[in-house]
Amino acid sequence: MKTDAFALRHIGPRENDLQHMFKTIGVDSIDQLIYETLPDDIRLKAPLNLEPALTEYEYLNHIAQLGNKNKIYKSYIGLGYHPAIVPAPIQRNIFENPGWYTAYTPYQAEIAQGRLEALLNYQTTVIELTGMEIANASLLDEGTSAAEAMALLFDVRTRDQKKNKVAKFFVSEEILPQTLSVLQTRSTPIGVELVIGNHEEFDFSDEFFGAILQYPGKFGQVHDYASFITNAKAKDIKIAVAADILSLVKLTSPGELGADVVVGTTQRFGIPMGYGGPHAAFFATKEEYKRSMPGRIIGVTIDVNGNRALRMALQTREQHIKREKATSNICTAQVLLAVMAGMYAVYHGPKGLQYIADKVHASAVTTADALNKLGVYQTNTSFFDTILVKADAAKVKAAAEAKEINFYYVDADTVSISFNETTSIKDINDILAVFAEATGKSAEKVTSLTETVALPENLVRTSDFLKHDVFNKHHSETALMRYIKKLERLDLALNHSMISLGSCTMKLNAAAEMLPLSYPNWNSIHPFAPIEQAEGYQIMLKKLEEQLNVITGFAGTTLQPNSGAQGEYAGLMVIRAYQKSIGQEHRNIALIPASAHGTNPATAHMAGMEVVVTKTSENGNIDVEDLRAKAILHKDNLACLMVTYPSTHGVYEASIIEVIKIIHENGGQVYMDGANMNAQVGLTNPGHIGADVCHLNLHKTFAIPHGGGGPGVGPICVAKHLVPFLPTNPVITTGGDSAITAISAAPWGSALVCLISYGYITMLGEEGLTSSTHHAILNANYIKERLAGHYDTLYTGEMNRAAHEMILECRPFKANGIEVTDIAKRLMDYGFHAPTVSFPVAGTLMIEPTESENLEELDRFCDAMISIRKEIDEASADDKNNVLKNSPHTLAMLTTDNWVLPYTREKAAFPLDYLHENKFWPGVRRVDDAYGDRNLICSCAPIEAYMEN
Ligand SMILES: *Cc1c(COP(=O)(O)O)cnc(C)c1O
């Protein structure tokens, strides 16, 4: 056996554990288990045609060599992406730390107080810099954040506006090109008409419900929008402002100018450009719109002891739970990047941010002045970081590229130059030398930065920001390091124990997959750099697309969508474009089984489709006759079916081939939600089964870490007839011949983290991937059998097997007064994160162990679940004072001198032996969700401030 095979590191169970596992399950071999699990007619007949696996060492060499093909030029391209300095302690202690990047979305607040606090810091930073009342954490990129702003303003139109079908949205021509493209994609299906123009010529007619402005403009001009906003308000036109976060340190905030929503990206707060992402976008608005706000809001509340605690606010109002009434489908966001950006603000504090913004501004002014002396003129009348220069673009480009410098070339005689935190005096002299060469003159050397300011006096920021303690005391590295560690210790991540979240596939995120993210020649490229400078990226992305084509059995892939839900949206929009191309534009019905993830109906609604829900039969499967009847009923208008496979019930439904046939016969396309692809890879695939398009969650199946709720990558893979419609980008052309407009801001979405999935597939190869699927199914069925007799599995396949996950019935425990949440909270005392709670069936737990967990960990988890089952039997509905209801137990509780609970401390906190060696302490007692929703606070105000209300 080759002991350096990556598969041996990735897959948990050891060879000598297998016999025991088989015996427990009641099979002789993996082959028998797979035979009993997967319907035969969907199995692939041949192995996936992938290149032989590389070892970790070989892969790291390969990726280093490929990285050398990326040319790292100095980037002054701007357009929403800037070189940024990732503070080394943030890089090492967060970005490269599994304690942070392997955590899940903080649904279980008691074991997530660390990242919740970090996200509250992020929200506070956004709220204060934008001058708004509330902010979320976070959205996917500036383009989609702007689209969410448009959708929110459309949604909150006044009754009059709705009655009069007011549907126009003004877009300033100063908007970033990629933002415009995303707005175009997102406006049409919801019935919004975009009107693009010069804001100074806008007529404020009452056909408009809203407008979006860019601040500063795309090539740097700082416009004074005050009178525009005043005039708009008078006509009940709501205003969104897309703002540059760093400029807001110097400029009057959009909130002070009267904006209703402010969006943008926090990339330049210490996040690498990464050839497009991932970066956290922000979204800030007024309190009155909180119920319509997309994404996740972190809020302050109290625990059962009345102590301050944090949690995700308004969870039951979360957009995707509104299903077909939702105006947004955001689920996975950009949590890890928001954590980093918030920490950048903590580390620099208000003074540090001032210094950085001043320096960036001074670099721009100094360069403009020096160019002026050279006879090269700059046309922005006021600017923060970007100057617009009149010069022969072709000559400048030739001279610049020879010096490894990128500018943005607006047209034949206009060059845009954006400055950033990394710009030095030497860089400025290099820029001057380029222009000297292009104009045949010689430039005087600059030796210091000017103090002249090029901002309009009435737009200079006078309000202060980030006064809170947290932004003013972690400015030495020791202090920051300890603060990060303190937060990290509050969070349960994969580096502590297994996280068996069904449908989320919390598998290993291998170090070898992660390392290249820190290599400068991978993380320092601007997404709009000339494509020939990104050869390494282009090779890697193309190979990954091809690997995903092979794995899904499809003909083409786009990596652009930044989450699974964005992939769903891309898929439906591609279907729409295809149907339009064959004269079937009227098709607008999406059939969606009742068990679907909430993002499915939300997405269909955003794509302008009408959702028709199909029934689930008693055994959890799609009710084929109901589906047939509805497909036939709607056959003239059927656009598609959205189906998850294996289903969210953890079963490979044998009827899938029949289901797909029904949809095709009635003129529809089949969209497969690939969140459960971990149960398919190497055994079957959507192409083979007959679907037309699927999305993949690279952050589930393909090893990108969840990062506490993002980043994600949600590529779609499509059959041949849909390839021409894959999305493009307005700056760098990509996608198909009849491409739809952009889904995301960057041409290849979050290209940097695509490296992880590329590494995963390249190091596992065909055998390792298939073996991973085998072991995912093996581990799930092992848990199912070990828990049999203690917990019932709700649904199984025809031969009584689970797929890669299973749903445990917990509703009967209500007789003893125990809810499924009590089990989730009690698991914390045992050192585990709960499985998925109440999805897709209320009152149940959905467990997905993944292939990466070994037998010892599976047993530890099962022991905990069985021990809890005994505690449930001991509980009674009449007496709430028991270990389950009081869970989780904190260290403060356990060490109190006044222990009055009717069970021992040992039972409370150390119910099983292994806990003596490895105990995780929840940060707070059970949080009060209702209290937090009634008193929504989403910034770092002290608790007393809101306890008075
Ligand atoms: C996770 C998931 C989604 C949404 O994916 P995101 O990346 O969170 O947007 C959609 N469908 C199913 C079944 C999922 O499990």
Side-chain angles (χ1 to χ4, degrees), residues 296 329-332 502-504 562-566 568 597 599-600 644 648 673 675-676 695 697 699-700 712 839:
R296 291 160 173 164
N329 63 354
I330 292 294
C331 184
T332 287
S503 205
C504 299
N562 286 321
S563 72
Q566 293 293 299
E568 294 170 23
H597 194 268
T599 53
N600 290 184
T644 306
T648 49
D673 179 324
N676 288 343
H695 83 254
N697 300 65
H699 47 297
K700 294 178 180 174
F839 171 80

Coordinates of all heavy atoms in Angstrom, one line a residue, residues 296 329-332 502-504 562-566 568 597 599-600 644 648 673 675-676 695 697 699-700 712 839, ligand 1:
R296 N -27.6 37.4 6.9 CA -27.7 37.1 8.3 C -27.3 38.3 9.1 O -26.3 38.9 8.9 CB -26.7 35.9 8.6 CG -27.2 34.7 8.0 CD -26.1 33.6 7.8 NE -26.7 32.4 7.4 CZ -26.0 31.4 6.9 NH1 -24.7 31.5 6.8 NH2 -26.6 30.3 6.6
N329 N -32.1 34.9 -1.7 CA -31.9 33.5 -1.4 C -30.6 33.3 -0.7 O -30.1 32.2 -0.7 CB -32.0 32.7 -2.7 CG -30.9 33.0 -3.7 OD1 -30.1 34.0 -3.4 ND2 -30.7 32.3 -4.7
I330 N -30.1 34.3 0.0 CA -28.8 34.2 0.6 C -28.8 33.2 1.8 O -29.6 33.3 2.7 CB -28.3 35.6 1.1 CG1 -28.0 36.5 0.0 CG2 -27.1 35.4 2.0 CD1 -26.8 36.1 -0.9
C331 N -27.9 32.2 1.7 CA -27.8 31.3 2.8 C -26.3 31.3 3.2 O -25.9 32.1 4.0 CB -28.2 29.9 2.3 SG -28.2 28.6 3.5
T332 N -25.4 30.6 2.4 CA -24.0 30.8 2.6 C -23.6 32.2 2.3 O -24.0 32.8 1.2 CB -23.2 29.8 1.7 OG1 -23.4 28.5 2.3 CG2 -21.7 30.1 1.7
G502 N -26.3 17.3 8.7 CA -26.8 16.8 7.5 C -27.0 17.9 6.4 O -27.3 19.0 6.7
S503 N -26.8 17.5 5.2 CA -26.9 18.4 4.0 C -25.7 19.4 3.9 O -25.7 20.1 3.0 CB -28.2 19.1 4.0 OG -28.6 19.5 2.7
C504 N -24.8 19.4 4.9 CA -23.8 20.4 4.9 C -22.4 19.8 4.7 O -21.4 20.6 4.4 CB -23.8 21.2 6.2 SG -25.3 22.1 6.4
N562 N -21.1 32.4 -6.3 CA -20.4 32.4 -5.0 C -21.1 31.6 -3.9 O -20.7 31.7 -2.8 CB -20.2 33.8 -4.6 CG -19.1 34.5 -5.4 OD1 -18.1 33.9 -5.7 ND2 -19.3 35.7 -5.7
S563 N -22.1 30.8 -4.2 CA -22.8 30.0 -3.2 C -23.7 29.0 -3.9 O -23.9 29.2 -5.1 CB -23.6 30.8 -2.2 OG -24.8 31.3 -2.9
G564 N -24.2 28.0 -3.2 CA -25.1 27.1 -3.8 C -26.3 27.8 -4.3 O -26.8 27.6 -5.5
A565 N -26.9 28.7 -3.5 CA -28.1 29.4 -3.9 C -27.9 30.2 -5.1 O -28.7 30.4 -6.0 CB -28.6 30.2 -2.7
Q566 N -26.7 30.8 -5.3 CA -26.3 31.6 -6.5 C -26.2 30.7 -7.7 O -26.5 31.1 -8.8 CB -25.0 32.4 -6.3 CG -25.1 33.5 -5.3 CD -26.0 34.6 -5.7 OE1 -25.8 35.2 -6.7 NE2 -27.1 34.8 -4.9
E568 N -28.0 27.9 -8.0 CA -29.4 27.7 -8.3 C -29.9 28.8 -9.3 O -30.6 28.5 -10.3 CB -30.3 27.6 -7.1 CG -30.0 26.5 -6.1 CD -30.8 26.7 -4.8 OE1 -31.8 27.4 -4.8 OE2 -30.3 26.1 -3.8
H597 N -34.9 22.3 0.0 CA -34.2 23.3 0.8 C -34.9 24.7 0.5 O -35.3 24.9 -0.7 CB -32.8 23.4 0.4 CG -31.9 24.2 1.3 ND1 -31.6 25.5 1.1 CD2 -31.2 23.8 2.4 CE1 -30.8 25.9 2.0 NE2 -30.5 24.9 2.8
T599 N -33.9 27.5 -0.1 CA -33.3 28.3 -1.2 C -33.9 28.0 -2.6 O -34.0 28.8 -3.4 CB -31.8 28.2 -1.3 OG1 -31.5 26.8 -1.5 CG2 -31.1 28.7 -0.1
N600 N -34.4 26.8 -2.7 CA -35.0 26.4 -4.1 C -36.2 27.2 -4.4 O -36.1 27.9 -5.5 CB -35.3 24.9 -4.1 CG -34.1 23.9 -4.1 OD1 -34.3 22.7 -4.2 ND2 -32.9 24.5 -4.0
T644 N -33.5 17.6 -5.4 CA -32.3 17.3 -4.7 C -32.1 15.8 -4.8 O -33.0 15.0 -4.5 CB -32.3 17.8 -3.3 OG1 -32.7 19.2 -3.3 CG2 -31.0 17.6 -2.6
T648 N -33.2 15.2 0.3 CA -32.8 15.7 1.7 C -33.3 14.7 2.7 O -33.0 14.9 3.9 CB -33.4 17.1 1.9 OG1 -34.7 17.1 1.6 CG2 -32.6 18.1 1.1
D673 N -30.4 20.0 -7.6 CA -29.7 20.6 -6.5 C -28.6 19.6 -6.1 O -28.9 18.6 -5.5 CB -30.7 20.9 -5.4 CG -30.0 21.6 -4.2 OD1 -28.9 21.2 -3.8 OD2 -30.7 22.4 -3.5
A675 N -26.4 19.7 -3.7 CA -25.8 19.8 -2.3 C -25.4 18.4 -1.8 O -24.6 18.3 -0.9 CB -26.8 20.5 -1.4
N676 N -26.1 17.4 -2.3 CA -25.8 16.0 -1.8 C -24.9 15.3 -2.7 O -24.9 14.0 -2.7 CB -27.1 15.3 -1.6 CG -27.9 15.8 -0.3 OD1 -27.3 16.5 0.5 ND2 -29.1 15.5 -0.2
H695 N -26.2 22.4 -9.6 CA -25.1 23.2 -9.0 C -24.4 22.2 -8.0 O -24.9 21.2 -7.6 CB -25.7 24.4 -8.2 CG -26.2 24.1 -6.9 ND1 -27.5 24.1 -6.6 CD2 -25.6 23.9 -5.7 CE1 -27.7 23.8 -5.3 NE2 -26.5 23.7 -4.7
N697 N -22.0 22.4 -4.4 CA -21.5 23.3 -3.3 C -20.1 22.8 -3.1 O -19.8 21.8 -2.5 CB -22.3 23.1 -2.1 CG -23.8 23.4 -2.3 OD1 -24.5 22.7 -3.1 ND2 -24.3 24.4 -1.6
H699 N -18.1 24.1 -1.2 CA -17.9 24.2 0.2 C -18.6 23.1 1.0 O -18.6 23.1 2.2 CB -18.3 25.5 0.7 CG -19.7 25.9 0.2 ND1 -20.0 26.1 -1.1 CD2 -20.9 26.2 0.9 CE1 -21.2 26.5 -1.3 NE2 -21.8 26.5 -0.1
K700 N -19.2 22.1 0.3 CA -19.7 20.9 1.0 C -18.9 19.7 0.4 O -18.0 19.3 1.0 CB -21.2 20.8 0.7 CG -22.0 21.9 1.4 CD -23.5 21.8 1.1 CE -24.3 22.9 1.7 NZ -25.7 23.0 1.4
G712 N -18.3 30.4 -0.1 CA -18.8 29.2 -0.8 C -18.5 29.4 -2.3 O -18.1 30.5 -2.7
F839 N -34.6 20.2 9.9 CA -34.6 20.3 8.4 C -34.3 18.9 7.9 O -33.3 18.3 8.4 CB -33.6 21.3 7.9 CG -33.5 21.2 6.4 CD1 -34.4 21.8 5.6 CD2 -32.4 20.5 5.8 CE1 -34.3 21.7 4.2 CE2 -32.3 20.4 4.4 CZ -33.2 21.0 3.6
Ligands
LIG1 C1 -26.7 24.1 1.4 C2 -27.8 23.8 0.5 C3 -28.2 24.8 -0.4 C4 -27.7 26.2 -0.4 O1 -26.4 26.3 -0.6 P1 -25.6 27.6 -0.1 O2 -24.2 27.4 -0.6 O3 -25.7 27.7 1.3 O4 -26.2 28.8 -0.8 C5 -29.2 24.4 -1.3 N1 -29.8 23.2 -1.3 C6 -29.4 22.3 -0.4 C7 -30.1 20.9 -0.4 C8 -28.4 22.5 0.6 O5 -28.1 21.6 1.5

